[in-house]
Every structure is written in structure tokens, then in C-alpha cells.
Amino acid sequence: MNLHEYQAKRLFAKYGVPIPDGKVATTPEQAGLIASELGGKVIVKSQVLTGGRGKAGGVKLANDPEEATTAAGQILGLNIRGHIVGKVLIDEAVAIQDEIYLAILIDRARHMPMLMASAAGGMDIEQVAAETPEKIFRIHIDPLVGLRSYQSTYVASGIQLPGGLWRDFHMISSGLYEAFWSLDASLAEINPLVITGDGKLLAVDGKLSIDDNALFRRPDLVEMRDRDEENPSERQARLNGLSYIQLDGNIGCMVNGAGLAMATMDVIELHGGAPANFLDIGGGATTESVTAALRIILADSNVQAVLFNIFGGIVRGDEVARGIVAALAEIETEVPMVVRLLGTNAEEGKKILAEANMVTATTLTEAAQKAVSMVVAD
Ligand code: GDP
Ligand code: MN
């Protein structure tokens, strides 16, 4: 789960990271009022869960409240790579001497958190890594020990930060690491951390990704989720305990188990088809979950056929078949479907499906071929 810049920065601030004063507005008028409260120049920033807002016209400097109102009017409603701006952050603007990149993330290869910094702040770290990898400094953090000052000193000197700022840099890096660790984050990033005109470090941007697997113990963070930013299908899936990822093919897939879902997608492709989604209904294929999953799949207008590939282990084939038949009684659709059931009570299941005039298949190959032919025949 990704948080907005304003949420990330406020959380970072609780761990001692200095951030500019600012507030969120949803209308141009509010933006103007906030700008007059703050006084002086402000920066108006779109709050959308995507990067590169600056380049997309989603970050504007305003000299006075009137300009802030105008800028907010231009930014609110803007479409930034598919994200419609509904909120802007009005921050007091600062003079910038230099921009630094600073992040804590997991190094999966080393199974450890890692601090990463570069003197080329403000730029995409991927671009820096590709073009000038020597500018990036990394150190690994032992979770039992935490971030030591000699480690941040090594990084600070590597990115050629003036010596007078090393102590503050350590404080900010430690704070960011504390935030990362305590909030179950997978990424805590400040890009840029700036050196202001008066020579201080300040986090003017913030990004925080929380590990979805930890959300069960972070209800306070779940509260912060921006529901407007979620794709409606993904939200429905989440609410029904399904894992759903939309892809760009035309064969909708409903499968139980992530491995089976991947195998199913591969076999569809092997037979010249293209999966429209990855959908894992998990262990319990109940009528409710099958109905919810089918609605989600059919909401995708690209879907021209649906393939069910269900392995009955704990869940029984006849139960799944009844679930599918019941779901289809509720959902009106012309989309052709093929069902493959395997495992516990598969034969009983197939009988139920045959009685309901559904196309069935015995092997995955057969199921994939049938689904592909349904799409081609269309
Ligand atoms: P992003 O493009 O989505 O990463 O948004 P950022 O928050 O990083 O803003 C983009 C750029 O705007 C930064 O790299 C800075 O160069 C600039 N910027 C952000 N805040 C300020 C500010 O207070 N003053 C000035 N002069 N520039 C700023
Ligand atoms: Mn940024």
C-alpha cells in the first residue's frame, strides 16, 4: 500500500525528519487560504500515487495566495498517468541549493534493509543507477544493531555532503530508518532531501510503501488508504479476499492458488491466447467468492471468454460447480466459459456443470484450447 506524499512526510516528521510547513487542500479557494496562512511563497503539489509529478505539471511554485489559488485550479482535476488529482499539498516553498536522494528499502538479495543515497537528487533513481551508478552509495543495516553513525558518515562523505551537515544527515537517516522499521514499510524515500538556501537539510518530497502483509497489524495505516486512488476492480477483489491483477489480454481466468494461476496463464499463452487477468480465489471457493470473482472478471470489457481452472483439494469440485452455476444465475452475461475441475469430487462437479450446459474440459491443455477458440470464434 502506497501513501501520499503529505502522509509520508507527516509520518517521517514524527521520527525527527524535518519537513516544510504545509496543509492539504481540495479546492483552489482552500489552497489560497492555506497559502495566506503560511505567508510568502508556496509550492502547490498534486497528491497522486505516482512519481514524476513535477515533469507532468503537477508541482507549481506560487509567489502569493492568488497564484496559489490559480496553480491549485490548474492542478486539481489534472490527469497524471491515469491518476486524477483530487488533493493538493500546499507547502511553504524553500530556496534550494542542492538536491539529494535518500531511501531505505529492502535488499532482497542480502535479506537486509539498505540505505541508499545519491547526490543526484530530484532525478529518478533508476535513471541515476543506469547512467551514473558511481553516484549511488549503499549500506546495509543490521536490524539488530540499527543504523550506526559511521555508516551514515560514510554515505554523507560519499555523496560529498558538506561536513557541517553530517550530524543532521545521520539524524535524518536514522529517523527515516526508524520510520521504515516501525511502520512495516518496504520503501521509505525522500527525493529530494534538499540543502536549503540557509544551509539546512529538509525533506521536500516523501514516499512510503507499506508491506501489504503487515497491514493486519497496522489498522492506523490502513485508515490512511486513499480509496479514490484504487482501481475499482482491485478494491472489490481486496474486499472479497481475492488477489486480482488486471492484464491486457482477453481471456479472463479464475483459479485457486497463485501457482496454478501462473501455470494457467502460461498454458493459455502457449496456445496463442492472452490472459486478461490474474485472479486467485484462494482456498475456499464459495458461491460468494466465485460470484464476486466472476463479477470482477466480467467488469473488464476486454474479456471475451472465461476459463475456470480449479483444483479441488480441501475445496470440493461439486461445491465449486454449484458456486459457478449459482454465480451465473445472478450475473447476466453472454461471455462463453469453459470449466476445468480436478481433484476432490471433480466428477460430481462436472455432472452439475453439464446439466447447466456449461463447457467443461478434462486437461488444462483442452481447457486453454477451448478458451482460445472461443475468443477467435468471436
Ligand atoms: P515528484 O516530481 O513527483 O518527485 O515531486 P517532488 O516533490 O520531488 O518535486 C519535484 C521538484 O520540484 C523537486 O525535485 C524540486 O526541484 C522542486 N521543488 C519541490 N519543492 C520545492 C520548493 O519548496 N522550492 C523549490 N524551489 N523547488 C521545489
Ligand atoms: Mn520527488
Side-chain angles (χ1 to χ4, degrees):
M1 182 183 81
N2 292 325
L3 294 178
H4 281 301
E5 172 196 359
Y6 76 94
Q7 298 169 318
K9 286 200 294 199
R10 285 176 191 170
L11 287 166
F12 293 168
K14 288 191 184 164
Y15 294 87
V17 174
I19 62 165
D21 255 355
K23 273 188 186 164
V24 173
T26 52
T27 66
E29 295 68 38
Q30 268 177 14
L33 283 175
I34 295 167
S36 44
E37 268 174 45
L38 291 171
K41 291 185 188 179
V42 294
I43 187 134
V44 181
K45 311 182 74 178
S46 52
Q47 298 298 292
V48 279
L49 298 178
T50 179
R53 297 162 304 165
K55 281 184 219 138
V59 177
K60 287 190 194 315
L61 198 66
N63 287 304
D64 53 49
E66 205 175 308
E67 279 186 32
T69 311
T70 310
Q74 289 164 343
I75 295 174
L76 285 163
L78 206 66
N79 181 335
I80 302 183
R81 276 180 298 280
H83 301 253
I84 309 293
V85 182
K87 289 187 210 78
V88 285
L89 172 65
I90 317 300
D91 261 359
E92 64 182 5
V94 288
I96 294 180
Q97 268 192 56
D98 223 334
E99 305 193 19
I100 295 157
Y101 175 93
L102 179 65
I104 312 280
L105 62 162
I106 298 280
D107 180 350
R108 288 174 191 275
R110 290 276 296 270
H111 312 162
M112 271 178 146
M114 170 169 84
L115 181 150
M116 198 157 103
S118 114
M123 275 169 74
D124 251 6
I125 194 68
E126 289 82 6
Q127 193 186 341
V128 181
E131 290 168 11
T132 48
E134 70 282 358
K135 284 195 180 156
I136 300 180
F137 288 80
R138 297 178 180 85
I139 43 137
H140 290 88
I141 304 167
D142 183 332
L144 296 178
V145 179
L147 180 69
R148 312 304 301 188
S149 65
Y150 71 85
Q151 295 182 299
S152 39
T153 301
Y154 159 77
V155 172
S157 79
I159 62 171
Q160 290 168 357
L161 196 71
L165 289 173
W166 289 6
R167 274 178 73 121
D168 284 351
F169 183 76
H170 177 63
M171 193 193 75
I172 292 170
S173 306
S174 311
L176 192 64
Y177 174 68
E178 277 307 313
F180 170 90
W181 188 257
S182 326
L183 301 171
D184 287 317
S186 53
L187 172 73
E189 182 189 81
I190 304 174
N191 187 25
L193 173 69
V194 303
I195 305 179
T196 59
D198 53 1
K200 295 198 177 92
L201 289 171
L202 187 72
V204 304
D205 192 10
K207 183 172 175 189
L208 186 61
S209 307
I210 309 295
D211 185 341
D212 288 340
N213 294 311
L215 290 178
F216 74 95
R217 63 180 188 189
R218 307 294 336 192
D220 48 333
L221 296 176
V222 172
E223 282 285 296
M224 298 174 85
R225 188 197 294 275
D226 185 348
R227 319 226 165 239
D228 300 338
E229 276 264 358
E230 254 183 322
N231 161 321
S233 295
E234 285 173 8
R235 173 182 346 184
Q236 275 310 312
R238 185 172 56 72
L239 293 176
N240 286 286
L242 311 164
S243 357
Y244 173 83
I245 294 160
Q246 190 168 327
L247 303 169
D248 44 21
N250 52 14
I251 299 179
C253 308
M254 193 187 306
V255 181
N256 61 339
L260 192 59
M262 293 206 253
T264 306
M265 289 162 47
D266 282 349
V267 176
I268 289 173
E269 291 199 359
L270 187 66
H271 292 286
N277 64 275
F278 169 107
L279 192 151
D280 173 10
I281 61 171
T286 61
T287 305
E288 290 74 38
S289 64
V290 172
T291 309
L294 197 55
R295 281 192 203 282
I296 290 166
I297 289 178
L298 295 174
D300 175 358
S301 58
N302 287 330
V303 169
Q304 294 173 26
V306 177
L307 191 164
F308 294 82
N309 189 19
I310 306 288
F311 179 80
I314 296 167
V315 53
R316 302 186 338 244
D318 55 327
E319 224 170 66
V320 174
R322 267 190 281 273
I324 294 172
V325 173
L328 283 169
E330 274 184 46
I331 301 171
E332 210 171 303
T333 176
E334 302 277 287
V335 174
M337 306 192 181
V338 51
V339 188
R340 175 187 181 234
L341 286 178
L342 199 73
T344 315
N345 290 5
E347 287 313 313
E348 289 87 331
K350 276 195 208 165
K351 245 175 74 189
I352 294 169
L353 293 168
E355 279 161 18
N357 291 322
M358 294 216 52
V359 179
T360 59
T362 307
T363 64
L364 179 50
T365 297
E366 185 194 341
Q369 283 168 339
K370 282 185 174 163
V372 170
S373 73
M374 284 166 173
V375 167
V376 174
D378 219 43

